[in-house]
Amino acid sequence: MNTMDKPENHILVIFGASGDLAYRKLMPSVYNLYKQKLLPEKFQIFGAGRTTLTIEQFKDKIKDGINKFSNYKNDDDKVIDDFLQLLSYMYFDTDKKEDIVKLKNNLTEIYQKLQTENTIYYLSTPPSLYSVIPKLLASVGLNKSTETAWKKLVVEKPFGYDFNSAHALNKNLLNFFKEKQIYRIDHYLGKETVQNIFVTRFSNEIFEPLWNRNYIHRVEITAAESIGVEKRGAYYESSGALRDMVQNHLLQLTGVIAMEPPSSFDPDSIRDEIIKVFHALRPFNGEDDVAKNVIRGQYGEATINGEKIPGYRQEKSVDPNSRVETYVALKFYIDNFRWGGVPFYLRTGKRLPTRVSEVVIHFKPIPHFLFSHKNLKNACNQLIIRIQPDEGMKLKFDMKIPGQGFVTEQTEMDFNYSTLANQYIPEAYERLLYDCMLGDTTLYQRGDRVETAWKFVDPILNAWKNNDKIPLYSYPAGTWGPQNADDLIEGNGLTWRYPCNNISTDGRFCEL
Ligand code: BG6
């Protein structure tokens, strides 16, 4: 990001402005941009939501969100109040025909005031409205970019529910907006540490020669969360971990790790290379294949530090007999020259012992051992890319233990972002919103990419739907999920990397 660039004057329209995402992520991120003077000179935020709020109530809510979630928590009241002057709000109901006309009238006034009609529409609504709102915008002529004014549409996840619904949604959006106007967001690509994977791989000579099946034994990607589903039980019941995290975030990470070097760093070159990876994902072949290579789990109640933690089935708005997975671990292959035969392992879950997202590149063992190792017979090099928290990287390698003889021990060389003095790390949404303002789609998903990711995930969803004999395991909250997820890892005694221990000791995993 070139911090000197200022986006062109425009209006940011947020649909779903009274919702949780706007409160926790979007508005605090716009505030971060405001503080860094990265917003255009003429700029306005227009909130549209289904909650009746006065402008004062809206501002109060946004102020609270800024104080809690922005990078400038509890900032000077006066500065926040100045920022809040940029806000307006209207109650907006997609079922009421007159509301879109009112919205247009409101925008027209702002257009006159700002002397621009450039607009970003951000869909932060329930997914059922993703095809309704673009149609409404088109019905009053608010969708088309012209020579003098652009219109962009940002679509939040979940983008579809399976391949068919994602395909239908793409088709629908393309009736009203052109592909280059559509920004499909996956906030994982907005994370600084994820972008740094491009730089690690393509700006250093030492990694790329090793980055293939000749030197890499396996790749492991984990996104663990310690929180449960919180207030999102209703959403989660229709989603589950596979749709919520794997189809998007974890496959994106896979794409960035596995892609070929692009010929240049322009949006389409990057997106073309990532989609090639998605096309090469070996599809799961029927229910037996899924049962063997995909482990699903659901957290059960447990006691952590003396506190009783409810199981998923006891959460609000969750069916007490729910069979929705809150954990998933899978093994798959990428069928191309670079990765032929290298297993990829993905794992994600709620109510695991800690919040950690990381990629672990496990290198192959050396071909012949000359020295004895203090702890392990066969310690392989590992590159650990820590996405969050404690953002950074670690390279594990062998060194001689000082003293007599030649005994070796594995040690770590690490880099931590926290050691960079005065470096501001932007929030994922902040980076992505800013890119959209500048018209940079590199970190957004093209329609074909989302659909291809669903094509990979669909056979798992179908197998689970059609065969309830495929086990769903219960794991106590605060543990690393079903223990048999370790069986996925090929190789004698090999397991996932466990960055910390289980924090709950009661209960065991069992089949539900
Ligand atoms: C969201 C999922 O996309 O990502 C949530 O819907 C999940 O369930 C969140 O908690 C994780 O994001 P992060 O940035 O906290 O890792």
Side-chain angles (χ1 to χ4, degrees):
M1 184 188 315
N2 179 351
T3 44
M4 300 305 288
D5 288 343
K6 255 203 195 265
E8 289 176 49
N9 295 341
H10 69 273
I11 299 157
L12 172 63
V13 179
I14 301 181
F15 290 99
S18 50
D20 213 45
L21 186 74
Y23 166 72
R24 283 169 185 269
K25 300 281 185 191
L26 302 181
M27 296 307 298
S29 293
V30 183
Y31 184 71
N32 292 348
L33 294 173
Y34 175 79
K35 286 288 290 183
Q36 294 162 80
K37 306 205 176 348
L38 289 175
L39 293 177
E41 248 138 64
K42 292 184 179 174
F43 175 72
Q44 183 107 25
I45 303 160
F46 186 86
R50 241 182 153 148
T51 313
T52 313
L53 292 176
T54 63
I55 182 66
E56 288 317 319
Q57 286 168 325
F58 181 57
K59 285 183 179 173
D60 285 349
K61 179 168 180 173
I62 299 304
K63 188 172 190 169
D64 187 56
I66 290 171
N67 277 326
K68 287 198 180 118
F69 304 110
S70 88
N71 278 350
Y72 303 89
K73 293 181 185 70
N74 301 315
D75 206 7
D76 184 344
D77 239 27
K78 164 88 178 64
V79 182
I80 304 183
D81 288 343
D82 284 348
F83 169 76
L84 296 175
Q85 297 305 316
L86 299 172
L87 265 58
S88 36
Y89 182 81
M90 98 170 242
Y91 170 83
F92 180 72
D93 185 343
T94 47
D95 290 335
K96 292 200 184 125
K97 281 207 175 100
E98 62 277 19
D99 277 13
I100 191 68
V101 178
K102 275 191 211 157
L103 183 129
K104 183 176 182 176
N105 292 339
N106 284 331
L107 287 188
T108 309
E109 265 179 41
I110 306 175
Y111 289 157
Q112 277 158 10
K113 197 172 97 195
L114 263 56
Q115 292 177 318
T116 180
E117 293 188 12
N118 291 338
T119 316
I120 296 177
Y121 303 109
Y122 197 114
L123 300 185
S124 165
T125 62
S128 56
L129 298 180
Y130 291 173
S131 38
V132 175
I133 293 173
K135 190 172 175 192
L136 284 173
L137 291 170
S139 72
V140 290
L142 285 174
N143 58 326
K144 291 213 167 83
S145 291
T146 62
E147 299 245 310
T148 50
W150 43 255
K151 309 276 191 247
K152 296 172 188 168
L153 180 74
V154 184
V155 188
E156 253 303 328
K157 71 170 269 267
F159 195 95
Y161 185 76
D162 54 15
F163 172 77
N164 287 338
S165 54
H167 182 66
L169 177 56
N170 269 329
K171 239 174 115 186
N172 194 299
L173 293 177
L174 290 169
N175 287 332
F176 310 110
F177 286 83
K178 298 215 159 61
E179 177 64 35
K180 67 173 189 221
Q181 293 177 277
I182 305 173
Y183 291 69
R184 296 171 193 80
I185 206 162
D186 180 324
H187 80 278
Y188 256 61
L189 286 181
K191 289 184 191 281
E192 189 59 43
T193 38
V194 176
Q195 290 152 42
N196 193 40
I197 299 174
F198 292 115
V199 178
T200 304
R201 289 192 56 198
F202 306 135
S203 191
N204 292 295
E205 181 63 0
I206 58 169
F207 294 115
E208 203 46 30
L210 308 181
W211 210 262
N212 58 52
R213 69 193 165 86
N214 296 324
Y215 297 97
I216 293 180
H217 179 263
R218 65 187 192 278
V219 176
E220 193 183 316
I221 303 180
T222 294
E225 293 185 275
S226 50
I227 53 170
V229 290
E230 303 199 297
K231 293 182 194 148
R232 297 164 77 219
Y235 153 76
Y236 209 81
E237 278 286 275
S238 65
S239 164
L242 188 69
R243 286 190 176 95
D244 188 47
M245 294 292 289
V246 176
Q247 186 276 340
N248 34 66
H249 307 325
L250 293 191
L251 286 181
Q252 291 304 342
L253 279 175
T254 307
V256 177
I257 291 290
M259 70 191 274
E260 292 301 316
S263 55
S264 71
F265 206 71
D266 66 75
D268 267 326
S269 304
I270 310 272
R271 293 156 123 200
D272 285 346
E273 293 306 339
I274 294 183
I275 190 135
K276 281 190 211 157
V277 173
F278 284 20
H279 283 307
L281 297 174
R282 186 185 301 171
F284 289 99
N285 184 12
E287 292 169 8
D288 288 349
D289 199 18
V290 169
K292 206 166 130 220
N293 292 303
V294 188
I295 304 282
R296 56 176 170 165
Q298 188 189 79
Y299 61 84
E301 61 182 359
T303 315
I304 299 176
N305 295 332
E307 191 194 339
K308 198 101 201 125
I309 304 293
Y312 176 68
R313 291 178 174 187
Q314 284 97 49
E315 301 277 16
K316 198 164 164 250
S317 314
V318 168
D319 177 352
N321 297 312
S322 173
R323 292 188 62 80
V324 166
E325 80 289 355
T326 59
Y327 172 97
V328 61
L330 60 150
K331 169 183 164 192
F332 61 91
Y333 290 89
I334 298 176
D335 287 334
N336 62 18
F337 268 51
R338 183 183 285 265
W339 296 112
V342 178
F344 277 69
Y345 299 96
L346 307 185
R347 163 180 70 159
T348 184
K350 300 237 181 243
R351 283 283 184 223
L352 300 188
T354 189
R355 173 176 185 253
V356 60
S357 293
E358 63 181 23
V359 177
V360 188
I361 311 287
H362 296 265
F363 290 91
K364 287 188 169 167
I366 48 168
H368 174 60
F369 296 97
L370 296 175
F371 310 110
S372 57
H373 195 282
K374 188 172 164 225
N375 297 314
L376 306 160
K377 209 163 142 233
N378 175 3
C380 297
N381 295 112
Q382 287 174 19
L383 177 69
I384 299 160
I385 303 172
R386 177 58 74 83
I387 313 267
Q388 64 193 23
D390 305 328
E391 290 81 357
M393 243 185 270
K394 261 193 225 308
L395 183 64
K396 294 203 172 193
F397 68 104
D398 252 19
M399 68 164 275
K400 177 180 176 298
I401 298 180
Q404 306 302 322
F406 278 91
V407 180
T408 69
E409 189 174 29
Q410 203 165 56
T411 182
E412 288 176 358
M413 213 159 46
D414 58 16
F415 154 71
N416 218 294
Y417 276 80
S418 58
T419 58
L420 295 176
N422 303 323
Q423 275 301 323
Y424 175 84
I425 302 186
E427 286 297 313
Y429 274 96
E430 172 183 345
R431 165 71 197 235
L432 292 173
L433 273 167
Y434 180 67
D435 280 2
C436 174
M437 291 176 183
L438 292 177
D440 184 346
T441 52
T442 312
L443 300 174
Y444 284 89
Q445 311 189 74
R446 221 164 47 193
D448 52 351
R449 180 149 125 207
V450 184
E451 289 185 20
T452 319
W454 277 119
K455 264 192 196 155
F456 177 69
V457 162
D458 267 9
I460 308 176
L461 293 170
N462 291 338
W464 286 350
K465 191 168 90 196
N466 299 332
N467 184 349
D468 57 14
K469 297 225 164 54
I470 299 179
L472 168 70
Y473 298 103
S474 169
Y475 58 94
T479 63
W480 278 102
Q483 278 153 14
N484 54 352
D486 273 342
D487 300 340
L488 287 178
I489 314 269
E490 266 175 44
N492 212 352
L494 299 182
T495 67
W496 296 86
R497 186 178 119 85
Y498 290 106
C500 68
N501 295 331
N502 290 338
I503 51 173
S504 134
T505 41
D506 54 348
R508 269 178 51 79
F509 92 109
C510 62
E511 197 174 326
L512 282 174

